[in-house]
Structure formats: structure tokens, C-alpha cells
Amino acid sequence: MEDGNTLSYPFEFSDISDEEKKMIDKLHSFSYASELARLGPKGYIVTKAFKKNAADIYNLPLRSGDIFVTSYQRSGTTWTQELVWLLANDLDYEKALTVPLIERYSFLEMFMFVPDGGLESFMKAARQNSENFNEDMMIQFINRIATPASQILATAQSPRFIKSHLPMSLLPPKLLGTAKMVYIARDPRDVIVSFYHHTKLFMMTGFTGTFKEFWHLFHKDLLAMTPYFEHVKEAWEKRHDPNMLFLFYEDLSKNLPAAIHRVADFLGKKLNDAQTAALCDHLSIENFKKNKAVNFEEFRAFGMLAKNEEFVRKGKTGGWREYFDEEMTQQAEKWIEDNLKDTDLRFPSTN
């Protein structure tokens, strides 16, 4: 049964400042800043293309069997998606290994990453940055992801599995009253390291700056879906809702069997010791890196991925220490302290 009373869209889009545009564009090979806007009172960074489907997402007809996996990007989303899907589908490893994750989940806002007004610049950046660029395959891919997930979901069979990096406030307001959600959070310093490599992996993003410059964009709320802490705190506030399971990446990394059982309990599933061990083996970083159904390697064939980058990387916690200099470390500590002072949200220690 779907729940779908149409609501007027409550948020306004606004332009980023000229100073912010300059800061962003000097670090990209094309005018990326012209594609960006801030949304709502918290000023979440989205692309202008999001306008086309924002109200439809907000009013997405929900079903009681829907399962959402959400996060700020690069927080362990793919890992969590695979875990959730396998538990919900009674450990169907055969399908999990043969059907790409992007076909098992609808990525709710994927369409917004197809530039609204700068498609040719987007293609030009991809050509320049790729030795194996295949324009026909790129166009096919873009046309595929440009189709809003809300349209695809309308005819999808239940149970529907939905991925999103949107904050709670931009998702359907009655979501937790109808569907289930697993939210995964991660220390923002590790998030930005992973996000930086992700941006370098998908070369058509056109980012040309250093890691330190990328960190400054994140810290100044100039990357997609920032401000980061507002995103996480919106989910944290809902963590006691019976239809919400809030996870930390660090807990999965530290004790995967315990995390598996938390998710299983949330989904009403039971696992014996042998099943738990098998699932841990499937989800191990070593096996995950080799799993073609989750690592986007098919995109490498037509030149979308950088040769020296991988979608599934090291899967470690605390790796940010290898990237942050003393100035950035102090800056991050103050930023985290300032943003957590009015909440009981705390990230697990990675020492």
C-alpha cells in the first residue's frame, strides 16, 4: 500500500555567493560552481538540476516494505547496502554477486549529478581526463542516470531498496512512519579522505585541486550535501524511532558480527553462527574489493574511472591521519567540537 498525499515543497533554492563560486571554479576544469545551489534554511549544497525532481522526492509514495539506506556520501553506504540487501533477501549470494548493486537499489537523487546546463562541459572534462573515453557509452550512461528514480520506483516491485545521500529534511516527511531506514555515519575526517579519492576516481567531476583544497571545500560547506554535521544530526535526532537504525562505520569496522546482528534484528531476521561467519567473509574488505557487483568496475571499460583509483578502497578507520597536516588537524578538531557542543552525538574512537 502506498501513502501519497501531495505536499507543497517547503524549501527555497538560492545561489551560492560570487566568492564561493570563484573558490570552487578555480579547483575545477570547468565551471562547476554554475551548477550548484543552496537549498532550505540549512543551505544544503545541491545541483540546480535537483529542482526538477525535488518535490517528487519529497512526495514520493511510500510502501511499508521499502528499505532506505542513507548517509552522507563515503560513509560506508555501499558496505551497508550490501549487508542490508543480503539480510532482507535471505542471503541470496548468487544474485548479490551477479546483479550490480546499482540495479538492486534505486539511487534517489542520482539524476541531479547530470549537469542541468553544462552537459558539454561535463563531457569535455571526461574526454580530457580519460584515455579510454567512449562518448556513445557515456551518453547512454548519462541518459540512464538522468531518469529520476521516483519515476522508476513507481513501477518497481516490492520490496523496494532505495539509496540516498539526501538529509532527512529533504526526504519524504512521513518516511519513518511507513518505511524502514538504515543510516550510516562516519568520522568526517575519514569521510573527506574517501570523498577526495572518489572525486579523483570519477574523473568527469573535473576536480583539479589538492587534498588540502578539497578539505577546505568540505570544511566551508561547499561540497555536495554539506553542511556535513547538519546532515548527520538530522538522522541522529531520529535514532530512537522504531523504523530507524543509526549505525557508525567505526562499529562495523571494529565488530562486524555484532553489527550484522543489529541489522538482522532491525529487519526481523535471525542468523546462526555459520551464516554470520559467511556474511562476514562476503563483506570483508578483501572480498568486497574483488566483488564486481559492488565496485563499479564496469565503468572503467568506457573510461569513466581513473586508472590509479578504486571505488572500494582500504575500508580503514583513522586513515585521515595520513593526510592531515598539523594545521588541518587543529582546524578539524575545532570544527568537530563546535558542531557537537549542543548534541550528544559522538563518533566512536579510532585510536
Side-chain angles (χ1 to χ4, degrees):
M1 181 176 178
E2 295 192 351
D3 170 40
N5 295 319
T6 303
L7 302 170
S8 59
Y9 197 64
F11 304 120
E12 293 184 359
F13 291 82
S14 60
D15 289 334
I16 60 176
S17 71
D18 290 341
E19 182 181 347
E20 290 171 332
K21 288 178 182 177
K22 290 178 182 177
M23 191 181 308
I24 293 168
D25 279 345
K26 75 175 184 179
L27 300 175
H28 289 80
S29 60
F30 65 100
S31 183
Y32 180 58
S34 64
E35 299 294 334
L36 302 178
R38 291 196 182 276
L39 178 57
K42 295 179 180 177
Y44 285 112
I45 293 284
V46 296
T47 68
K48 292 178 180 177
F50 186 65
K51 291 182 182 181
K52 294 182 293 187
N53 203 233
D56 288 339
I57 288 175
Y58 197 72
N59 284 286
L60 182 73
L62 300 166
R63 302 175 191 172
S64 59
D66 291 343
I67 300 177
F68 284 72
V69 174
T70 65
S71 68
Y72 185 87
Q73 55 203 319
R74 308 309 293 175
S75 296
T77 326
T78 304
W79 209 19
T80 308
Q81 283 179 265
E82 184 78 343
L83 167 57
V84 167
W85 190 92
L86 276 164
L87 287 171
N89 286 277
D90 300 320
L91 304 178
D92 187 351
Y93 291 108
E94 181 179 355
K95 186 172 183 179
L97 289 167
T98 55
V99 178
L101 197 63
I102 57 173
E103 295 179 18
R104 287 181 273 141
Y105 279 79
S106 292
F107 187 0
L108 198 54
E109 69 278 7
M110 179 68 143
F111 71 93
M112 86 170 195
F113 296 105
V114 178
D116 197 26
L119 185 57
E120 184 49 45
S121 294
F122 188 77
M123 295 287 282
K124 181 180 178 181
R127 285 191 204 97
Q128 290 175 344
N129 289 306
S130 174
E131 296 177 3
N132 304 313
F133 180 73
N134 184 314
E135 185 164 328
D136 290 339
M137 292 183 74
M138 176 67 101
I139 290 172
Q140 288 178 24
F141 170 75
I142 288 174
N143 288 337
R144 175 184 168 191
I145 67 172
T147 303
S150 58
Q151 294 179 20
I152 298 169
L153 286 165
T155 57
Q157 291 185 334
S158 293
R160 302 182 302 183
F161 294 86
I162 302 165
K163 165 191 172 180
S164 181
H165 294 311
L166 294 173
M168 294 291 295
S169 57
L170 302 185
L171 290 168
K174 296 182 180 179
L175 196 160
L176 294 180
T178 307
K180 288 185 177 295
M181 175 185 287
V182 178
Y183 185 96
I184 181 82
R186 187 182 191 183
D187 186 308
R189 295 164 294 191
D190 279 329
V191 166
I192 196 59
V193 170
S194 183
F195 196 177
Y196 170 70
H197 283 284
H198 182 75
T199 300
K200 290 175 66 179
L201 172 69
F202 287 93
M203 296 178 294
M204 70 283 190
T205 58
F207 181 75
T208 59
T210 64
F211 172 73
K212 191 167 188 174
E213 289 169 325
F214 196 72
W215 154 253
H216 285 311
L217 292 181
F218 185 58
H219 177 250
K220 294 178 182 295
D221 300 334
L222 291 173
L223 293 180
M225 299 304 171
T226 55
Y228 170 81
F229 278 105
E230 292 301 325
H231 195 298
V232 177
K233 284 190 282 190
E234 284 191 16
W236 180 251
E237 289 170 4
K238 300 291 186 180
R239 69 192 182 281
H240 297 306
D241 190 290
N243 279 336
M244 161 72 90
L245 178 62
F246 190 106
L247 299 173
F248 285 108
Y249 181 93
E250 292 78 10
D251 289 338
L252 267 72
S253 183
K254 185 186 301 181
N255 191 341
L256 185 56
I260 286 173
H261 283 285
R262 279 193 68 196
V263 178
D265 289 345
F266 179 67
L267 297 176
K269 302 289 183 176
K270 297 294 182 185
L271 297 183
N272 59 37
D273 290 346
Q275 289 172 321
T276 302
L279 187 50
C280 283
D281 183 63
H282 177 83
L283 293 171
S284 70
I285 293 300
E286 293 76 17
N287 286 330
F288 217 53
K289 287 171 72 73
K290 296 182 288 187
N291 186 344
K292 293 182 178 180
V294 302
N295 63 21
F296 286 82
E297 282 301 301
E298 67 270 24
F299 293 164
R300 203 175 294 280
F302 56 99
M304 276 188 64
L305 306 185
K307 288 191 297 185
N308 59 342
E309 294 287 348
E310 297 173 313
F311 184 80
V312 179
R313 293 182 58 252
K314 299 180 179 180
K316 64 189 293 187
T317 60
W320 62 269
R321 294 180 178 88
E322 300 168 18
Y323 289 78
F324 278 59
D325 61 24
E326 185 59 31
E327 178 191 26
M328 296 162 68
T329 298
Q330 292 181 7
Q331 195 175 48
E333 287 176 356
K334 184 178 187 308
W335 177 61
I336 292 170
E337 182 182 350
D338 288 347
N339 279 281
L340 295 184
K341 64 184 179 183
D342 295 324
T343 175
D344 57 356
L345 169 65
R346 296 294 181 271
F347 293 92
S349 172
T350 57
N351 292 334

